[in-house]
């Protein structure tokens, strides 16, 4: 990531968002029983509402292993891995930080599946891939992997957006995001918020404001639904589903894995073709 991009992110991170942009009175319901519990009705629910929650998708051991793999990379124990992005507010202080303070300055790591087998095991989990295959009606192909952190007190907002606005994929592609809680994700520490049904309402123009985002006044906030998760809980959402997460206002960190899959048979489009749909300011944007 260039210095200019990092500085731009630091600047936009200082812009406050309207206090009424997120609601905290509606919570998404999930299913229990892990991946084997997913039925055809659940797949239909995903396509109708744009999301599916599995409360207990991964075991405690799988989550412990994934978290250990994430910390291994964050702590610099894999010399070849450098894909670490720091919180915009703390990026200028990162070289002076050590230990837990440095971990809590990190916003995300990405591109880790080829470096850390414990994280690759999550991304290629047979149960996960089986559900994805049902959703996309094709072989699911992983094309983006990230581990996300909202550190205590200063974990920043991710403004409302559609993931398809970031990806050079043909309009109409069933892109599926998968969000896996490594810590408990709560309303206080910045759990995800979604707009159910927005996946069926088409692409939205995005703008570079606090992020590459949907305009605040275009978000149907009245339908805002929180997705709190226990460790091992998993959220699937459609690439057109509006979603975002507010700042971490608590003393608890919020760590998660975020993976994106597409049908293997789908090719790419040009950046210009994507911008023609989602907005002219999106040439170099990072989900």
């Amino acid at each position: 990531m260039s210095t200019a991009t990092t500085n731009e992110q630091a600047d936009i991170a200082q812009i406050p968002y309207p206090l009424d942009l997120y609601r905290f009175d509606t919570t998404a319901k999930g299913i229990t029983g892990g991946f084997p519990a997913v039925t055809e009705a659940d797949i239909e629910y995903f396509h109708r509402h744009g999301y599916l929650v599995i409360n207990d998708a991964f075991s405690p051991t799988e989550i412990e292993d994934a978290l250990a793999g994430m910390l291994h990379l964050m702590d610099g124990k894999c010399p070849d891995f450098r894909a670490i992005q720091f919180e915009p507010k703390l990026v200028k202080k990162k070289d002076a930080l050590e230990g837990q303070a440095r971990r809590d300055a990190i916003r995300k790591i990405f591109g880790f599946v080829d470096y850390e087998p414990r994280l690759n095991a999550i991304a290629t989990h047979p149960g996960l891939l089986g559900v994805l295959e049902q959703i996309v009606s094709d072989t699911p192909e992983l094309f983006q992997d990230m581990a996300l952190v909202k550190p205590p007190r200063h974990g920043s907002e991710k403004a409302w957006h559609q993931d398809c606005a970031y990806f050079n994929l043909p309009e109409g592609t069933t892109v599926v995001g998968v969000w896996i809680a490594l810590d408990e994700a709560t309303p206080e520490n910045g759990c995800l918020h979604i707009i159910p049904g927005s996946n069926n309402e088409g692409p939205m123009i995005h703008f570079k404001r606090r992020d590459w985002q949907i305009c605040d006044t275009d978000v149907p906030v009245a339908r805002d639904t929180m997705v709190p998760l226990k460790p091992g809980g998993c959220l699937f959402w459609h690439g057109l589903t509006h979603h975002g997460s507010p700042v971490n206002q608590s003393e608890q960190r919020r760590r998660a894995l975020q993976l994106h899959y597409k049908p293997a048979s789908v090719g790419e489009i040009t950046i210009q073709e994507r911008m023609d749909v989602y907005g002219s300011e999106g040439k170099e944007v990072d989900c």
Side-chain angles (χ1 to χ4, degrees), residues 148-168:
L148 305 173
V149 182
K150 276 191 186 289
R153 300 175 301 281
H154 54 247
S156 55
E157 178 209 20
K158 179 64 178 179
W160 288 100
H161 65 285
Q162 295 171 306
D163 286 343
C164 286
Y166 289 86
F167 305 139
N168 298 326

Side-chain angles (χ1 to χ4, degrees), residues 109-128:
I109 65 173
F110 49 96
F112 51 67
V113 293
D114 293 329
Y115 293 88
E116 177 44 65
R118 289 166 289 190
L119 296 177
N120 183 274
I122 293 290
T124 58
H125 189 286
L128 172 64

